[in-house]
Amino acid sequence: MSDTDFACCTPLTGTSMSTDQAEQVAPLLKALADPVRLRLVSLIASSEGGEACVCDLNEAFDQTQATISHHLKVLHAAGLLDREKRGVWVYYAVRPEALSAVATLFSTPAPAGASA
Amino acid sequence: MSDTDFACCTPLTGTSMSTDQAEQVAPLLKALADPVRLRLVSLIASSEGGEACVCDLNEAFDQTQATISHHLKVLHAAGLLDREKRGVWVYYAVRPEALSAVATLFSTPAPAGASA
DNA sequence: CCCCGACATCGATAATTGTCAATACGACGG
DNA sequence: CCGTCGTATTGACAATTATCGATGTCGGGG
């Protein structure tokens, strides 16, 4: 892995995206394109210090512990979450760089055709 | 369908997201979570008037015409693209509301250092 | 030392998806 | 009216994925 470097992508609008860029960002979107994972990220991001214990996360969902663990693994593998073991518990934290890489994608660069 | 109404979602960070919101936005992300579709949207968005003819789109990709047609259908079904037939050709156009719905997701709400 | 609680991994299964070749369909041009 | 071009649909297939039950692993408490 070690791809801590995210595509500092040009926005979706504005200029057309390169194949490489698309292939870099798509996995991030794919990781987020699930209701459970979306809520996981949201829950973690809105927790104290931007991190949350798996034990708390588990209780917030209907799915089994194995399923939640799987989703967290996917988000971690995509580089969206950091993982830290503290004693018996495991804490996941959002990686702002990853989120902002995606945010850049959807930021409108400049009003199209506004230049007269 | 007819869900021209997009979740005017709270950002991912800030407050934790409701199950309903997650289930509303996830399909949008899912539709975008593919390199080909990402490039399609980008290509269309950066075209004249925010729309593009399928005939041009086809030539910009290695995949077969059927595959491109399929991806366009997915994007259209998700509400991300509008479809208009003009004569023999079909034009797809981006739906800014859809994109901005997703953009809202990734917009950071809290300016900075609210509480120290 | 043994058990228990927190989390991850494994194995299995059903569902979804990306892709293509083949075919259908609708609009022109001759 | 027939052939052709642009696009969509169908059918098939391999690959991926979401989910679960069962089991493994690791750390702490008694």
Side-chain angles (χ1 to χ4, degrees):
Chain A
M1 307 213 185
S2 79
D3 58 90
T4 28
D5 187 38
F6 288 105
C8 221
C9 18
T10 37
L12 210 47
T13 40
T15 337
S16 80
M17 177 176 232
S18 77
T19 306
D20 282 350
Q21 287 221 356
E23 281 171 356
Q24 283 225 11
V25 190
L28 287 187
L29 290 175
K30 205 167 188 175
L32 287 169
D34 180 283
V36 174
R37 290 200 287 265
L38 219 42
R39 286 219 298 144
L40 275 172
V41 171
S42 171
L43 210 57
I44 294 172
S46 63
S47 295
E48 291 285 320
E51 66 171 19
C53 173
V54 175
C55 54
D56 293 331
L57 262 19
N58 277 328
E59 294 177 2
F61 295 85
D62 286 338
Q63 351 282 107
T64 66
Q65 178 262 324
T67 300
I68 298 301
S69 186
H70 165 69
H71 284 308
L72 288 170
K73 183 182 185 178
V74 170
L75 289 167
H76 178 59
L80 283 157
L81 293 184
D82 263 341
R83 183 182 183 278
E84 190 188 349
K85 187 161 190 173
R86 285 214 287 273
V88 192
W89 298 281
V90 172
Y91 288 78
Y92 281 93
V94 293
R95 289 179 38 99
E97 321 97 272
L99 275 191
S100 66
V102 181
T104 309
L105 240 196
F106 296 101
S107 68
T108 51
S115 62
Chain B
M1 309 199 191
S2 79
D3 57 88
T4 30
D5 186 38
F6 288 105
C8 223
C9 18
T10 37
L12 210 46
T13 39
T15 337
S16 80
M17 178 175 231
S18 77
T19 305
D20 281 351
Q21 285 221 358
E23 281 171 356
Q24 283 226 9
V25 189
L28 287 186
L29 291 175
K30 206 167 189 176
L32 288 169
D34 180 283
V36 175
R37 289 200 289 265
L38 219 41
R39 285 219 297 145
L40 275 172
V41 171
S42 172
L43 210 57
I44 295 172
S46 61
S47 296
E48 291 284 319
E51 64 170 20
C53 174
V54 176
C55 55
D56 293 331
L57 262 19
N58 278 328
E59 294 176 4
F61 295 84
D62 287 337
Q63 351 281 105
T64 66
Q65 177 262 324
T67 299
I68 298 300
S69 186
H70 165 68
H71 284 308
L72 288 169
K73 184 181 183 178
V74 170
L75 288 167
H76 178 59
L80 283 157
L81 293 183
D82 263 342
R83 183 182 184 278
E84 189 188 348
K85 187 162 192 173
R86 285 215 286 274
V88 191
W89 298 283
V90 173
Y91 288 78
Y92 281 93
V94 294
R95 290 181 35 102
E97 322 96 271
L99 275 192
S100 66
V102 180
T104 310
L105 240 197
F106 296 102
S107 68
T108 51
S115 59

